[in-house]
């Protein structure tokens, strides 16, 4: 029960008497309205929980009713004179025409135009930062002009059906405008100057003008009949800020995880990777893989870049691989400015790796148009020569560089390179790596027509072609590869085709790789394919034709080539060396010494999960008498008792294999005859410096050996780093990993023999028969170059370059480049090889014509003689 003071009672009586007089003069039912007013005042007093009602309290209640004499004159009914559904303004709160026009222009029209301009053109995103990185941001920012318009119209009509809704709308508008006004503060001084130039400066000022209009509208709302029913603006503004923070929370977690993953302590790095796997945003992480200066950040990224220490893009690429298990350049690049495509530089369109030594990301519009592979096998010499014709098409509006890393057949070497210029095939020049690279880069800068091939690891080459002309232009090249058969016995050997390790171009839909292989002996495909066609069109001619999809091609395609048991040795002309020497090639067999200890290292990356059962099954054939250890290269190196402990749950993300290789080498070095068997997937990054491992291998050049066995395709940057060290031995799967591992174990058990080639130069005197296969000489030269290149003697390295250039080979010390014209060759100090000295799968049309003419002359002469 409230107690009223005398003064409060007096004020209430005066107010009701005054109201009754006004109501009676307007013709309304005064008794009913006064009764409702009294009931409403009592409810307000009870709601305020006042024990003593003072004159100040009743004054506030009466002030809230806002029924004064000027307004009551228009009351005709009870509903119009009561607070509730409709509220009317005092005369001081009414809109003037000037204010309404001002509010509409700067609070509605200007922000609406700004949003439309940014959505259509990406003007701000193209130059400074992206203010609308997602659809949700677009919805929020579009609320500003809509909210101001809604409140403007409501106040202009002088009646509002729901004051709470209007108040919330106005508070939300203030919150959003305030957020964007703060982030645009750095550029507002420049915007003010920009007003002088065609008025564009008004656009970045629109968040501020919207905020001013929203505050003025709120001031007008406070002039309503019930200002206490206005929502608390600061609470809603905080809620809006919280929404923006929640929108950016995955990005904040990602930046935090990247900082941890790039930390100095191993434990911190591991925890950072785990955080990114659980709560990070892969799209944000992928964006950070691209150079900072080549991408336009959104607002939060701009702020986070100021808060956090910047991690180089190259390091983030390794972190992305650790988190996802997928190389960043195997994923479609993100749109750097959200969904609108108004970027200054778009990763789909800009080539971040042009002229460099890395393949980098895929480029939109650049694709492989044609892929043709022809191979010819020489069963006598157990060699085969492959020519791969590739044609690239560029549908973009910019010149492009096509780059790809190619896996060669085992122990293969590039022995020919040509480029079609104006419909004519041009041969390459061969020289030291530095010299051909310099010539290539000079021509690239001038935007002419070069193609460059260099090695980038064991049995790996990097192919670079520039420029592929824009707007549907094409560029056609041919790569010739000399390879030995991988002998299974004296009577058979495996042939493997080259394939893409990684590439910056796409494969056109429906494009198949056309393959044609010929031999004098029978050919049997190792890889099953419904498109395989085996032919025997002539007595000494066998052929295998097929079409390979991209998936089949990248998984590797192998063929078993039969040969006669004889000859086991062959003599060939040393076409590029001294005239009094020839090359002797012998095919030999030997027993492999079983190792005393084997340390098995298994890559714990996600892509190896599918190979767990293959590994378990293959190791059932492992020799029982060999000391055996198992290490799993995961986030930490895990020791296991046997491969049976492997579980698919262990394989997550991408794992750094170098710590496990170092630990495995230390364990294996305890015994003299030991092997580290490394089973792994693609290794696209050198996640940890390999110098410690290299030091171990250099100081102990004979023991232990590392057997490198890769499942599937993809680059192996660790093997490239270890290239040239004699302890490293590459093993190939030939499409059946389980069978190849079992062959290795058979060799260790002594149930199978190893066949190998022994090539050497001998004097040419007293030789009756010379084989015409020049590829044997090229393979000898390739082996010789590898030995000289690994020498610490500077003269040996110079000699290696000379041999590689004489035999026209691409090796670790040499490369091949095709330039556009003779002047460019002269300027670079290079000389292209002649077509007659280059190996060929199919005789050129000119040669065929000469042969035909000679045959015709012989026939005509015989007829004349007859």
């Amino acid at each position: 029960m409230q107690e009223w003071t005398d003064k409060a009672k007096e004020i209430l009586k005066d107010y009701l008497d005054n109201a009754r007089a006004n109501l009676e003069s307007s013709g309304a039912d005064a008794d009913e309205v006064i009764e409702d007013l009294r009931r409403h005042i009592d409810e307000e007093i009870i709601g305020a929980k006042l024990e003593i009602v003072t004159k100040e309290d009743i004054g506030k209640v009466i002030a809230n009713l806002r029924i004064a004499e000027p307004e009551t004159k228009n009351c005709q009914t009870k509903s119009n004179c009561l607070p509730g559904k409709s509220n009317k303004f005092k005369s001081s709160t009414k809109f003037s025409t000037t204010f309404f026009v001002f509010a509409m222009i700067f609070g509605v029209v200007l922000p609406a135009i700004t949003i439309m301009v940014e959505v259509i053109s990406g003007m701000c995103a193209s130059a400074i930062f992206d203010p609308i990185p997602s659809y949700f941001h677009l919805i929020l920012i579009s609320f500003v002009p809509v909210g101001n318009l809604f409140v403007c119209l409501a106040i202009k009509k002088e009646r509002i059906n729901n004051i709470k809704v209007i108040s919330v709308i106005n508070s939300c508008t203030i919150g959003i405008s305030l957020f964007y006004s703060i982030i645009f503060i750095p550029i507002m001084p420049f915007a003010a100057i920009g007003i002088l130039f065609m008025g564009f400066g008004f656009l970045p000022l629109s968040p501020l003008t919207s905020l001013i209009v929203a505050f003025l509208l709120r001031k007008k709302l406070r002039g309503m009949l019930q200002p206490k029913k206005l929502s608390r603006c600061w609470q809603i503004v905080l809620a809006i800020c919280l929404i923006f923070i929640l929108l950016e929370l995955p990005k904040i977690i990602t930046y935090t995880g990247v900082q941890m993953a790039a930390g100095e302590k191993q434990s911190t790095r591991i925890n950072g990777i785990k955080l990114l796997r659980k709560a990070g945003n892969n799209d944000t992480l992928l964006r950070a893989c691209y150079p900072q200066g080549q991408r336009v950040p959104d607002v939060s990224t701009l702020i986070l870049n100021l808060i956090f220490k910047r991690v180089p893009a190259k390091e983030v690429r390794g972190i992305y691989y650790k988190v996802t298990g997928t190389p960043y350049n195997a994923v479609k690049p993100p749109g750097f400015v959200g969904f609108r495509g108004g970027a200054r530089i778009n990763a789909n369109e800009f080539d971040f790796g042009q002229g460099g030594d890395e393949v980098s990301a895929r480029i939109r519009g650049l694709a492989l148009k044609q892929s043709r592979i022809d191979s010819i096998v020489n069963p006598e010499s157990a060699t085969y020569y492959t020519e791969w014709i590739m044609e690239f098409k560029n549908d973009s509006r910019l010149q492009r560089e096509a780059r790809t890393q190619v896996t060669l057949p085992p122990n293969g070497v590039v022995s020919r390179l040509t480029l079609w210029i104006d419909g004519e095939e041009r041969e390459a020049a061969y020289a030291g790596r530095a010299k051909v690279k310099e010539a290539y880069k000079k021509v690239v800068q001038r935007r002419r027509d070069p193609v460059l091939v260099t090695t980038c690891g064991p049995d790996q080459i990097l192919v670079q072609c520039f420029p592929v002309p824009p707007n549907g232009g094409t560029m056609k090249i041919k790569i010739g590869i000399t390879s030995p058969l991988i002998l299974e016995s004296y009577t058979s050997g495996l042939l493997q085709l080259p394939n893409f390790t990684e590439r910056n171009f796409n494969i056109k839909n429906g494009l198949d790789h056309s393959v044609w292989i010929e031999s004098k002996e029978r050919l049997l495909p190792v890889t099953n394919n419904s498109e395989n066609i085996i032919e025997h069109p002539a007595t000494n001619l066998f052929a295998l034709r097929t079409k390979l999809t991209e998936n089949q091609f990248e998984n590797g395609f192998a063929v078993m080539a039969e040969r006669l048991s004889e000859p086991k040795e062959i003599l060939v002309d040393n076409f590029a060396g001294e005239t009094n020497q020839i090359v002797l090639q012998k095919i030999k067999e030997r027993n492999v010494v079983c190792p005393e200890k084997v340390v098995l290292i298994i890559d714990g990356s996600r892509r190896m999960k599918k190979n767990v059962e293959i590994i378990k099954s293959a190791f059932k054939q492992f020799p029982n008498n060999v000391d055996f250890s198992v290490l799993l290269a995961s986030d930490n190196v895990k020791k296991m008792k046997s491969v049976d402990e492997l579980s698919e749950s262990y394989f997550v993300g991408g794992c750094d294999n170098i710590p496990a290789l170092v630990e495995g080498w230390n364990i294996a070095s305890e015994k003299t005859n030991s092997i580290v068997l490394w089973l792994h997937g693609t290794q696209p990054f050198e996640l940890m410096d390999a110098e410690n491992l290299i030091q171990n291998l250099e100081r102990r050049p004979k023991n232990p050996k590392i057997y490198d066995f890769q499942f599937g395709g993809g680059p192996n940057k660790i093997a490239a780093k270890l290239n040239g060290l004699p302890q490293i031995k590459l093993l190939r799967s030939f499409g059946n990993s389980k069978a190849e591992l079992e062959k290795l174990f058979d060799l260790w058990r002594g149930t199978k023999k190893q066949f190998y080639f022994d090539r050497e130069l001998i004097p040419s005197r007293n030789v009756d028969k010379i084989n015409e296969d020049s590829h044997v000489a090229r393979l000898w030269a390739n082996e010789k170059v590898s030995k000289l290149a690994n020498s610490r003697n500077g003269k040996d390295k110079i000699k290696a370059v000379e041999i590689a250039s004489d035999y026209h080979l691409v090796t670790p010390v040499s490369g091949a480049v095709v330039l556009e014209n003779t002047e460019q060759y002269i300027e670079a100090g290079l000389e292209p090889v002649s077509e007659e000295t280059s190996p060929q799968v199919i005789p050129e049309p000119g040669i065929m014509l000469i042969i035909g003419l000679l045959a015709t002359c012989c026939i005509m002469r015989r007829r004349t003689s007859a």
Side-chain angles (χ1 to χ4, degrees):
M1 185 69 182
Q2 290 89 6
E3 182 179 344
W4 290 61
T5 63
D6 294 338
K7 192 64 176 177
K9 292 178 181 179
E10 182 180 346
I11 291 174
L12 176 61
K13 182 177 181 303
D14 291 342
Y15 170 74
L16 294 177
D17 290 343
N18 187 36
R20 179 183 293 277
N22 290 332
L23 291 168
E24 288 176 351
S25 63
S26 65
D29 187 348
D31 291 336
E32 184 178 358
V33 174
I34 292 299
E35 183 180 350
D36 286 338
L37 285 173
R38 187 182 293 278
R39 184 173 62 254
H40 185 75
I41 291 171
D42 290 339
E43 289 175 356
E44 289 287 329
I45 295 297
I46 294 172
K49 298 180 181 180
L50 299 174
E51 295 182 359
I52 299 176
V53 181
T54 64
K55 64 177 183 178
E56 289 81 8
D57 297 327
I58 192 62
K60 291 179 181 178
V61 173
I62 293 173
N64 287 342
L65 294 177
R66 297 295 187 199
I67 301 182
E69 293 181 6
E71 286 79 17
T72 57
K73 292 179 181 179
N74 296 324
C75 292
Q76 301 296 327
T77 63
K78 178 182 84 169
S79 61
N80 285 342
C81 296
L82 292 175
K85 293 184 179 180
S86 297
N87 299 280
K88 203 172 181 184
F89 298 93
K90 288 184 177 180
S91 58
S92 61
T93 66
K94 292 182 180 180
F95 261 16
S96 66
T97 303
T98 303
F99 180 80
F100 179 75
V101 172
F102 170 82
M104 290 297 294
I105 291 175
F106 291 99
V108 179
V109 177
L110 181 59
I113 292 175
T114 303
I115 294 170
M116 286 190 293
V117 169
E118 180 62 23
V119 168
I120 295 171
S121 69
M123 184 181 295
C124 182
S126 300
I128 308 170
F129 57 82
D130 185 9
I132 319 174
S134 70
Y135 284 107
F136 199 82
H137 286 83
L138 177 61
I139 293 172
L140 284 176
I141 201 170
S142 298
F143 188 87
V144 172
V146 174
N148 279 338
L149 176 64
F150 194 80
V151 176
C152 273
L153 295 178
I155 296 178
K156 184 173 176 59
K157 291 179 180 178
E158 301 183 10
R159 293 189 182 280
I160 299 176
N161 294 329
N162 195 326
I163 185 65
K164 288 186 177 181
V165 173
I166 294 295
S167 179
V168 169
I169 291 174
N170 177 252
S171 299
C172 290
T173 304
I174 291 174
I176 299 170
S177 299
L178 178 63
F179 176 82
Y180 276 95
S181 296
I182 292 172
I183 65 176
F184 271 90
I185 285 176
I187 64 173
M188 284 184 181
F190 303 99
I193 298 173
I195 294 175
L196 303 175
F197 300 94
M198 301 179 66
F200 282 111
F202 282 113
L203 299 182
L205 291 174
S206 61
L208 180 61
T209 61
S210 300
L211 178 64
I212 293 172
V213 169
F215 271 124
L216 293 175
L217 291 174
R218 189 163 192 85
K219 184 178 180 182
K220 292 291 182 181
L221 287 174
R222 289 189 178 277
M224 293 181 60
L225 299 177
Q226 295 175 312
K228 278 195 172 182
K229 288 192 177 182
L230 286 175
S231 60
R232 293 185 177 180
C233 182
W234 67 269
Q235 293 178 336
I236 295 178
V237 170
L238 287 178
I240 293 295
C241 292
L242 182 61
I243 290 174
F244 278 108
I245 292 173
L246 290 175
L247 281 175
E248 305 303 330
L249 185 60
K251 189 174 294 182
I252 295 171
I253 294 174
T254 302
Y255 268 72
T256 303
V258 168
Q259 293 294 316
M260 295 173 64
E264 295 182 359
K265 294 183 178 180
Q266 174 70 5
S267 58
T268 303
R269 292 197 297 267
I270 292 174
N271 290 333
I273 294 299
K274 290 180 178 179
L275 175 64
L276 290 169
R277 287 174 184 163
K278 290 181 180 179
N281 184 281
N282 288 346
D283 182 69
T284 300
L285 194 58
L286 181 61
R287 291 170 183 270
C289 292
Y290 292 87
Q292 193 82 20
Q294 305 293 344
R295 54 192 171 91
V296 180
D298 54 28
V299 177
S300 58
T301 302
L302 199 66
I303 297 173
L304 291 170
N305 284 338
L306 298 175
I307 297 173
F308 290 102
K309 178 183 176 183
R310 182 172 297 178
V311 179
K314 188 174 182 179
E315 189 172 353
V316 178
R317 293 168 187 172
I319 295 173
Y320 181 86
Y321 172 69
K322 283 184 176 181
V323 172
T324 65
T326 303
Y328 84 102
N329 56 355
V331 181
K332 181 182 177 182
F336 285 140
V337 292
F339 55 88
R340 296 182 312 287
R344 177 184 60 190
I345 295 174
N346 192 311
N348 281 306
E349 297 179 351
F350 187 80
D351 188 355
F352 296 100
Q354 183 170 302
D357 295 328
E358 293 187 1
V359 173
S360 196
R362 303 273 172 89
I363 302 174
R364 184 170 61 187
L366 182 62
L368 182 68
K369 177 186 177 184
Q370 175 191 358
S371 176
R372 168 184 166 177
I373 299 178
D374 294 275
S375 288
I376 185 165
V377 181
N378 188 331
E380 293 181 5
S381 61
T383 64
Y384 64 101
Y385 174 68
T386 304
E387 286 188 344
W388 187 0
I389 296 176
M390 289 178 272
E391 186 174 6
F392 305 100
K393 184 178 181 181
N394 179 16
D395 290 325
S396 73
R397 53 187 174 83
L398 302 173
Q399 291 180 334
R400 296 299 188 197
E401 181 185 43
R403 296 186 302 278
T404 179
Q405 186 174 325
V406 174
T407 299
L408 301 177
N411 303 315
V413 59
V414 172
S415 54
R416 191 182 187 191
L417 173 65
T418 66
L419 169 68
W420 274 262
I421 299 176
D422 297 329
E424 181 182 348
E425 194 173 4
R426 306 283 181 88
E427 296 287 340
Y430 298 81
R433 286 174 66 95
K435 195 170 186 178
V436 295
K437 279 189 174 183
E438 182 184 1
Y440 178 80
K441 290 180 179 180
K442 279 185 179 179
V443 180
V444 167
Q445 291 171 357
R446 298 173 188 173
R447 299 189 175 274
R448 305 305 289 270
D449 288 326
V451 57
L452 173 69
V453 175
T454 53
T455 60
C456 56
D459 294 340
Q460 300 279 330
I461 59 170
L462 177 65
V463 182
Q464 297 171 267
C465 310
F466 182 89
V468 185
N471 303 318
T474 61
M475 192 172 188
K476 186 177 179 181
I477 66 170
K478 177 164 67 181
I479 300 173
I481 305 165
T482 297
S483 312
L485 293 175
I486 303 302
L487 295 175
E488 296 285 295
S489 65
Y490 284 119
T491 58
S492 65
L494 286 169
L495 171 155
Q496 190 170 45
L497 296 181
N499 59 3
F500 293 126
T501 303
E502 57 178 340
R503 49 188 166 81
N504 76 331
F505 49 84
N506 300 293
I507 304 294
K508 278 194 170 293
N509 293 332
L511 175 67
D512 291 330
H513 300 269
S514 179
V515 177
W516 192 309
I517 305 171
E518 288 188 351
S519 176
K520 294 179 181 178
E521 302 295 336
R522 191 167 58 159
L523 298 169
L524 299 173
V526 175
T527 309
N528 293 325
N529 180 12
S530 59
E531 297 290 333
N532 290 339
I533 300 174
I534 300 175
E535 298 177 332
H536 185 26
T539 304
N540 292 324
L541 181 61
F542 292 81
L544 186 151
R545 294 186 287 118
T546 188
K547 291 187 179 297
L548 302 176
T549 65
E550 183 55 26
N551 186 49
Q552 293 170 330
F553 184 68
E554 292 193 350
N555 287 333
F557 183 79
V559 173
M560 180 68 73
E562 293 187 353
R563 63 184 301 272
L564 299 175
S565 58
E566 300 292 342
K568 294 181 181 178
E569 64 179 52
I570 190 172
L571 296 169
V572 299
D573 181 34
N574 185 23
F575 68 92
E578 297 181 10
T579 56
N580 61 344
Q581 289 183 321
I582 58 175
V583 179
L584 170 64
Q585 173 183 279
K586 295 181 180 180
I587 297 176
K588 298 181 177 181
E589 61 177 291
R590 63 189 170 194
N591 291 319
V592 176
V593 178
C594 184
E596 296 180 26
K597 185 175 184 63
V598 173
V599 179
L600 174 63
I601 297 177
I602 302 173
D603 179 15
S605 301
R606 176 180 59 84
R607 290 190 174 188
M608 283 290 290
K609 184 185 297 186
K610 60 184 178 182
N611 299 310
V612 170
E613 295 304 319
I614 294 175
I615 295 172
K616 288 182 177 180
S617 178
F619 269 81
K620 292 178 181 178
Q621 305 298 321
F622 190 81
N624 296 324
N625 60 335
V626 178
D627 189 6
F628 184 53
S629 300
V630 182
L631 299 178
L632 180 66
S634 186
D635 293 332
N636 289 307
V637 180
K638 296 181 180 179
K639 293 184 178 180
M640 297 182 173
K641 295 180 180 179
S642 70
V643 294
D644 294 330
E645 294 184 27
L646 288 175
S647 170
E648 291 187 358
S649 62
Y650 292 155
F651 297 84
V652 292
C655 298
D656 188 356
N657 283 217
I658 290 180
L661 285 170
V662 173
E663 186 170 341
W665 187 93
N666 291 330
I667 296 172
S669 63
E670 296 172 358
K671 294 189 177 181
T672 55
N673 179 24
S674 56
I675 289 175
V676 175
L677 179 57
W678 178 30
L679 308 182
H680 63 91
T682 178
Q683 301 292 308
F685 303 100
E686 186 186 346
L687 300 173
M688 179 181 175
D689 193 354
E691 283 304 319
N692 190 11
L693 178 61
I694 293 173
Q695 182 185 36
N696 292 344
L697 295 170
E698 288 178 344
R699 301 298 291 178
R700 296 279 187 86
K702 294 184 179 180
N703 185 71
K705 295 180 175 64
I706 295 180
Y707 282 20
D708 181 346
F709 188 94
Q710 180 168 332
F711 288 81
N716 185 350
K717 295 299 176 66
I718 297 178
K721 189 76 173 181
L722 304 178
N723 188 30
L725 293 169
Q727 304 97 314
I728 308 299
K729 181 177 180 180
L730 296 181
L731 304 177
R732 295 291 187 89
S733 67
F734 297 102
N736 191 333
S737 301
K738 178 176 178 291
E740 292 305 316
L741 286 173
E742 290 175 346
K743 287 179 186 178
L744 176 64
F745 301 153
D746 288 341
L747 290 173
W748 288 347
R749 285 202 307 268
T751 58
K752 188 178 179 63
K753 291 188 176 182
Q754 185 181 59
F755 294 85
Y756 67 99
F757 296 97
D758 182 16
R759 303 183 185 96
E760 61 177 333
L761 281 181
I762 63 171
S764 59
R765 59 181 179 273
N766 300 326
V767 175
D768 296 330
K769 184 179 180 181
I770 299 286
N771 192 284
E772 297 179 355
D773 188 359
S774 61
H775 295 296
V776 173
R778 292 185 177 91
L779 292 172
W780 168 84
N782 188 44
E783 292 176 352
K784 185 69 174 177
V785 168
S786 297
K787 292 177 182 178
L788 293 172
N790 293 325
S791 171
R792 296 184 179 182
N793 189 331
K795 293 182 179 180
D796 288 343
K797 294 183 183 295
I798 295 173
K799 183 63 176 177
V801 174
E802 292 176 357
I803 294 174
S805 301
D806 291 341
Y807 285 82
H808 309 155
L809 303 178
V810 175
T811 69
V813 296
S814 62
V817 63
V818 181
L819 304 179
E820 186 177 18
N821 52 51
T822 305
E823 289 74 16
Q824 291 176 359
Y825 281 112
I826 294 173
E827 182 184 355
L830 300 171
E831 183 179 353
V833 302
S834 64
E835 185 177 335
E836 288 75 16
T837 59
S838 299
Q840 297 177 8
V841 169
I842 303 172
E844 295 296 329
I847 297 175
M848 292 298 294
L849 180 60
I850 293 171
I851 293 173
L853 289 173
L854 289 174
T856 303
C857 291
C858 291
I859 294 171
M860 294 297 293
R861 187 173 181 180
R862 286 186 179 182
R863 287 182 178 179
T864 304
S865 300

